[in-house]
Amino acid sequence: MTKRRTILVWAVAGLALLVLGFGFYGGFRWQQLKRDLGIVTLDVSGVRLTLDHFAVRQMVLVRQPSADERLAVTLDNLRLDFADGWRLLPLRSLSIDRLDARWQPAASKNDDNQPLPLPDPEQLNDWSAWLPRQGQIASLDLTVPCTSGTCRAQGQLGWQLGEEELLPATLDLQLDHQPHRLALALHAYEQDSDTHLDLGLQLDGQQRLSMQNQLTAQTDSTLWRGTLAMNELPEAPWLLAWLKEWLAYTPPALPTLPEQMRIGAGWALQLDTQTLAEDWQALNGELRLSANLPAPWPVVGLGQLQGQLDLSLLADDGLWIPTELAGDVTLQPAADLFAALPAQLRPSAVSLKIIPTEADEATQALPLSVQLSASGPSPVTLDTRLVLATAVPYAATFDQTRLTLRSPTMTEADFSLQGLEADLRLSGRVSQQGATIRFDKNSRLRVDSLSAASGLTASKLMLQLAGIGVEAGFAEGELQRLAITGKPAVTASEVKQPALRPQGWRWSGTLNADLSKATLDGPLGNDAGLSLPLKLNHTWTNSATRLDLTLPELFLRAGNPLAATFADWPPLLELNNGRLQGQAQLNLPGSGPLAASAKLSAKGLGGIYDRTELSGLDVEISAALRRDQLRLDVTELTLREANPGFTFGPLRFAGEYAGPLDNLDQGRLAWSIAEVRLLGGRLWLEPGMADLGSGTQQLKAHLRGLQLPLLLEAYPAEGLSGTGVIDGELQLQRSEAGISIEQGSLQAREPGGALQFRSPKIQALGQANPAMRLITEALDDFHYDLLASDVHYAADGTLDLGLKLHGRNPALEGGRPINFSINLEEDIPALLTSLQLSDRVSESIQRRVQERLR
């Protein structure tokens, strides 16, 4: 006995340790499972388990798998009854006195475009096996997220299933919105080989919506037939106010009295259950809808709809083709329906009237008269005759179409429009494969005024669109081909821009556009007579634009349209002879600085600059703009003759300039040729460079072969003549004050020459003044062997000459040598003014000088 007792003791101890071990292990696994499932609280009280049922007085479950996701469920008095005969399934019934669930989901990371997978019939049967055959939740309290934040629903839920199968089944859901009640009843059953689903909606005990569905399984699809009916909804005010908490819309202000309304629909559609989840639009069949809405009713995604609509549709692989259509409806759009449009173009209300017209019995087509109008800041009207093909190939043809738009003001970041009016006359055809649209006669856009951020303004802008055609090709619902062609015309009564003189402009030409680029080609002209052939290319992929302009050969004898076009044209420059031609190219990339280049050729230009006559100017200039740096290349500039009061020329120059566009006076000027023929001689600069941004610049000029007779002829001194050839060296200095000569020297070539000063005034001075008699007699016929002078010229125009003259008069005192030292000071601007008041220059220059003196 002692041994047996010992074995028994050890057995009991071992069993206790085993139970204790299983308890510890079970507790550990339970804690680990709670952490894996995110369960932070699980309280169960009043548990009772018998052979035929399971009961819990209260259960509290709180699950929080992440920081922003939480589910809290409270159950009171749950009872689950089992099947008879020691079988667990099927569960006989479930009753809950109160279910309180509060759910806060995590931030969704799923793609909204992912299709929702649908369970197959086998899955439904597997799930239904675990559903109690009947159930009742006496008090249901749900708190879930909605568009307004968090919404709460209270009510009751009950269901009844078949004894062995899922069907027949009924579901009753009641939601309380004190003092109102919404009841939803669903009844599903099988009859022969069809499955029926009947749905009913009651509001405050009154049947308001009924829907019958019949599903018939076929070989590779399911036939879905059904009807829907709603005749009135006097409960609309409180129902819409309640739905406002759940849906993102503002309910309309409906009358307090019940309003009659009618919505009826019937359909017979073939569903491909294998692909329905991926492509739910791939339907075939027929749908008919009839609605009479005397008051505005909300439609999800559209807004508030009012009016009458009768519609029959044919579905062909997801393509819905109207076979009957008539309606007169008004839409108050939802706030985000037209959010993509500028604020000034968003309508406040849209009305649509569709009237069937007589059809040709020989063709399968639906002719309609469509009238659409939109009210708001920019009223829009559309009136068209539309013909819909109701058989393959499906298409819509429209003609006699007129679209009008009036917008008083339209303001965007880069431009502003005032008084926009559009009047478009259209015709065309649209199908699944493509579309063809044509702008008919009198199609135009008109703008009273346009202002752009660049300082450009245009008034009475008109765009003529007649003849423009649009062709598009589609493949699998996407645009694959686009072609826009035509000959538009643009006119503006006045264009203002800082670089242009205000006047009218016009352009007409050809338009070609496709998915990769757009091209405009035609002449641009203005009221001044300027005509510039223009070609514009814009690439859509990189938003790059290229503009090519051509200046055809312009004969200035007939006038100078350039001076009448550009505001920066030098006001003192008049060109009235010769011809000009050129080309320019502007490249504006999608990102980065613009680039430009130009070439200008001039032949035989003549005219006036300031108070100088110009003639025979030939020049070739190339210009390039890169990264705000301007470069000018003068291949050769030749001026045959200039006359500021005396004639000189020709003048030749070849060189280049480079400098910043915003500060042109800080650039660099370089030359290889800079010379002028002056009074029979040649004055030139050695090849060099001048930095215009520096304070001063030293330049050295050379003078060779100046003919003294020509100089004295140009100088307005009465009775002074002579012979000789003058050479010299001049040290020029450029500064902010202007051009000056700090050091200069002139000297006559050997063997010298002669001077005669035979003025009656000088002779009278010699007779009156004995000291001057010797000078006047010597200069009467002075033969010099030395004529030299220092030269100083100030930036204010004062010329100082220190003359040294050595020679003799053969008729005076036996021709003894005579030396003269003479200091001369001359105001060159005043001297030129006196010359320009004479008949040495044109009457135009004389008038300019006289006006300036006044």
Side-chain angles (χ1 to χ4, degrees):
M1 293 297 293
T2 304
K3 185 176 181 179
R4 290 182 178 180
R5 290 179 179 176
T6 302
I7 294 173
L8 182 59
V9 170
W10 281 107
V12 171
L15 181 61
L17 289 174
L18 183 62
V19 171
L20 185 61
F22 273 116
F24 278 112
Y25 178 74
F28 170 76
R29 295 296 297 173
W30 170 244
Q31 295 298 327
Q32 186 178 25
L33 179 63
K34 288 174 62 178
R35 287 194 300 269
D36 293 341
L37 297 178
I39 298 175
V40 296
T41 301
L42 179 60
D43 294 332
V44 181
S45 61
V47 177
R48 184 173 67 257
L49 176 63
T50 66
L51 295 178
D52 61 352
H53 76 274
F54 169 75
V56 175
R57 185 173 67 251
Q58 187 178 63
M59 176 187 295
V60 178
L61 171 66
V62 178
R63 181 174 178 267
Q64 190 167 357
S66 62
D68 57 349
E69 181 180 4
R70 180 180 176 85
L71 173 65
V73 179
T74 301
L75 297 173
D76 289 341
N77 295 328
L78 179 147
R79 179 184 175 97
L80 180 62
D81 293 320
F82 307 136
D84 297 332
W86 294 84
R87 292 183 300 150
L88 177 63
L89 297 179
L91 300 174
R92 193 169 65 228
S93 65
L94 172 67
S95 65
I96 300 174
D97 286 352
R98 186 176 74 91
L99 187 153
D100 187 338
R102 302 174 184 270
W103 178 47
Q104 177 60 50
S108 176
K109 299 181 180 179
N110 297 328
D111 188 355
D112 294 338
N113 295 324
Q114 292 294 327
L116 179 65
L118 297 179
D120 56 34
E122 294 182 0
Q123 287 179 315
L124 291 177
N125 288 330
D126 293 341
W127 296 348
S128 66
W130 290 89
L131 290 176
R133 298 297 93 185
Q134 64 179 5
Q136 178 69 34
I137 301 177
S139 176
L140 179 65
D141 193 342
L142 300 178
T143 302
V144 295
C146 59
T147 58
S148 61
T150 301
C151 296
R152 185 180 181 186
Q154 295 176 300
Q156 300 86 41
L157 175 64
W159 68 88
Q160 178 73 49
L161 305 179
E163 289 294 333
E164 299 294 336
E165 302 293 337
L166 178 63
L167 300 180
T170 60
L171 174 70
D172 293 308
L173 173 65
Q174 296 183 7
L175 297 177
D176 297 326
H177 183 65
Q178 299 298 334
H180 305 287
R181 169 168 291 190
L182 180 149
L184 183 67
L186 175 64
H187 179 45
Y189 60 94
E190 291 183 345
Q191 184 176 359
D192 297 332
S193 60
D194 299 336
T195 301
H196 294 260
L197 297 175
D198 297 337
L199 178 67
L201 176 67
Q202 292 185 357
L203 298 177
D204 289 342
Q206 300 294 324
Q207 185 78 21
R208 296 306 181 197
L209 174 68
S210 61
M211 180 179 180
Q212 289 78 37
N213 300 274
Q214 181 179 342
L215 301 176
T216 303
Q218 298 179 342
T219 303
D220 55 355
S221 64
T222 299
L223 176 60
W224 177 25
R225 290 172 290 182
T227 60
L228 181 146
M230 179 184 293
N231 293 324
E232 61 179 351
L233 194 62
E235 298 83 5
W238 67 262
L239 178 63
L240 296 179
W242 185 17
L243 293 178
K244 178 185 177 181
E245 303 175 5
W246 295 82
L247 301 177
Y249 86 102
T250 301
L254 297 178
T256 56
L257 296 176
E259 289 286 343
Q260 295 296 319
M261 54 87 69
R262 176 180 58 83
I263 297 178
W267 58 88
L269 300 173
Q270 293 284 348
L271 307 179
D272 187 346
T273 55
Q274 299 298 323
T275 62
L276 184 61
E278 290 77 15
D279 188 9
W280 61 270
Q281 294 178 327
L283 302 176
N284 292 278
E286 297 179 351
L287 168 66
R288 182 171 182 85
L289 173 67
S290 179
N292 181 13
L293 307 175
W297 299 96
V299 178
V300 176
L302 291 179
Q304 300 167 15
L305 191 65
Q306 179 181 7
Q308 298 178 348
L309 179 65
D310 291 295
L311 173 65
S312 293
L313 295 173
L314 173 66
D316 187 354
D317 289 335
L319 179 65
W320 295 88
I321 306 298
T323 55
E324 295 181 19
L325 182 58
D328 187 356
V329 297
T330 300
L331 174 68
Q332 297 178 17
D336 57 348
L337 182 61
F338 298 106
L341 295 178
Q344 298 89 344
L345 295 181
R346 297 172 191 169
S348 58
V350 179
S351 63
L352 176 64
K353 182 179 292 186
I354 303 175
I355 303 174
T357 59
E358 294 184 1
D360 187 353
E361 296 181 357
T363 60
Q364 292 180 304
L366 177 62
L368 302 170
S369 174
V370 179
Q371 298 175 0
L372 181 144
S373 63
S375 59
S378 302
V380 178
T381 63
L382 173 65
D383 194 346
T384 183
R385 181 179 180 272
L386 183 65
V387 179
L388 302 176
T390 58
V392 178
Y394 301 117
T397 304
F398 58 93
D399 60 5
Q400 302 178 21
T401 302
R402 184 177 184 182
L403 174 65
T404 64
L405 165 68
R406 290 185 295 106
S407 180
T409 302
M410 184 181 300
T411 303
E412 293 295 324
D414 297 331
F415 68 90
S416 175
L417 297 179
Q418 301 289 332
L420 171 64
E421 293 185 5
D423 190 352
L424 306 180
R425 317 296 175 94
L426 306 169
S427 59
R429 184 177 184 273
V430 180
S431 67
Q432 284 183 289
Q433 293 73 36
T436 301
I437 301 174
R438 180 178 177 83
F439 290 84
D440 297 330
K441 185 178 180 181
N442 296 326
S443 293
R444 64 181 184 271
L445 292 175
R446 185 181 184 277
V447 177
D448 287 342
S449 66
L450 178 147
S451 300
S454 60
L456 175 70
T457 62
S459 59
K460 296 182 180 178
L461 187 66
M462 181 75 72
L463 174 59
Q464 300 287 348
L465 300 173
I468 292 181
V470 180
E471 295 185 3
F474 305 104
E476 297 181 356
E478 295 185 358
L479 181 64
Q480 299 292 332
R481 179 180 57 84
L482 177 67
I484 304 175
T485 59
K487 294 184 177 181
V490 184
T491 60
S493 64
E494 185 179 67
V495 175
K496 294 181 179 180
Q497 206 271 342
L500 301 174
R501 297 185 186 276
Q503 60 186 300
W505 285 80
R506 64 200 62 87
W507 177 87
S508 61
T510 59
L511 165 66
N512 290 280
D514 54 30
L515 290 176
S516 61
K517 64 181 183 304
T519 301
L520 296 175
D521 192 350
L524 175 67
N526 62 11
D527 293 345
L530 183 65
S531 179
L532 301 173
L534 173 151
K535 187 171 184 179
L536 183 145
N537 290 277
H538 181 80
T539 305
W540 303 114
T541 53
N542 57 7
S543 299
T545 303
R546 172 175 170 174
L547 177 65
D548 292 286
L549 283 171
T550 301
L551 176 64
E553 195 168 46
L554 189 64
F555 293 90
L556 298 178
R557 187 179 294 274
N560 184 2
L562 296 177
T565 298
F566 297 104
D568 292 336
W569 183 271
L572 299 178
L573 177 61
E574 293 182 4
L575 296 178
N576 50 33
N577 204 356
R579 60 187 189 273
L580 283 170
Q581 62 180 3
Q583 303 86 32
Q585 183 183 104
L586 176 67
N587 290 289
L588 184 62
S591 60
L594 63 86
S597 62
K599 291 184 178 180
L600 179 66
S601 174
K603 298 292 184 182
L605 294 185
I608 298 173
Y609 178 68
D610 196 5
R611 295 180 291 176
T612 301
E613 292 180 343
L614 307 174
S615 62
L617 176 62
D618 298 342
V619 64
E620 296 282 345
I621 299 178
S622 299
L625 178 64
R626 298 287 188 276
R627 295 187 178 276
D628 298 329
Q629 292 292 316
L630 176 65
R631 179 184 177 89
L632 298 176
D633 290 315
V634 181
T635 305
E636 184 175 1
L637 181 151
T638 301
L639 176 63
R640 187 178 70 248
E641 188 177 274
N643 180 14
F646 67 98
T647 302
F648 64 90
L651 179 148
R652 295 177 61 231
F653 179 85
E656 61 184 33
Y657 165 86
L661 184 63
D662 57 351
N663 203 355
L664 294 177
D665 57 354
Q666 300 297 312
R668 292 176 178 267
L669 177 65
W671 61 89
S672 59
I673 300 175
E675 66 175 37
V676 60
R677 294 290 178 173
L678 178 66
L679 301 175
R682 176 173 173 254
L683 177 66
W684 78 95
L685 297 174
E686 296 289 345
M689 185 269 293
D691 185 358
L692 305 182
S694 64
T696 60
Q697 191 77 38
Q698 300 293 331
L699 303 173
K700 189 174 183 179
H702 309 282
L703 176 64
R704 298 291 185 270
L706 186 144
Q707 300 297 313
L708 186 59
L710 296 179
L711 174 62
L712 297 179
E713 181 181 346
Y715 188 73
E718 182 182 358
L720 180 60
S721 62
T723 61
V725 179
I726 305 297
D727 297 328
E729 301 291 336
L730 304 174
Q731 190 69 37
L732 305 179
Q733 178 173 291
R734 185 201 63 83
S735 65
E736 294 182 358
I739 300 294
S740 62
I741 301 176
E742 296 299 325
Q743 296 178 1
S745 63
L746 300 174
Q747 186 167 349
R749 290 182 185 177
E750 293 180 355
L755 290 174
Q756 292 88 31
F757 199 1
R758 297 170 180 174
S759 169
K761 294 181 179 180
I762 293 297
Q763 292 175 356
L765 179 62
Q767 292 176 359
N769 187 348
M772 290 294 296
R773 181 179 301 173
L774 180 61
I775 296 176
T776 57
E777 290 177 353
L779 292 178
D780 184 71
D781 184 18
F782 190 78
H783 295 255
Y784 65 87
D785 54 28
L786 174 65
L787 174 61
S789 176
D790 295 331
V791 180
H792 297 276
Y793 180 75
D796 62 359
T798 301
L799 175 65
D800 293 319
L801 297 176
L803 286 173
K804 293 181 180 181
L805 188 61
H806 180 267
R808 61 182 55 82
N809 186 338
L812 181 65
E813 297 180 359
R816 71 178 181 87
I818 302 175
N819 294 324
F820 287 104
S821 293
I822 305 172
N823 292 322
L824 294 180
E825 181 179 293
E826 187 68 70
D827 187 341
I828 298 301
L831 174 62
L832 291 177
T833 299
S834 66
L835 294 177
Q836 292 159 357
L837 289 173
S838 66
D839 57 0
R840 298 191 182 192
V841 296
S842 66
E843 293 182 0
S844 297
I845 293 181
Q846 294 180 39
R847 284 196 300 271
R848 285 189 179 185
V849 174
Q850 292 169 357
E851 291 174 358
R852 188 169 299 180
L853 290 176
R854 285 197 294 268

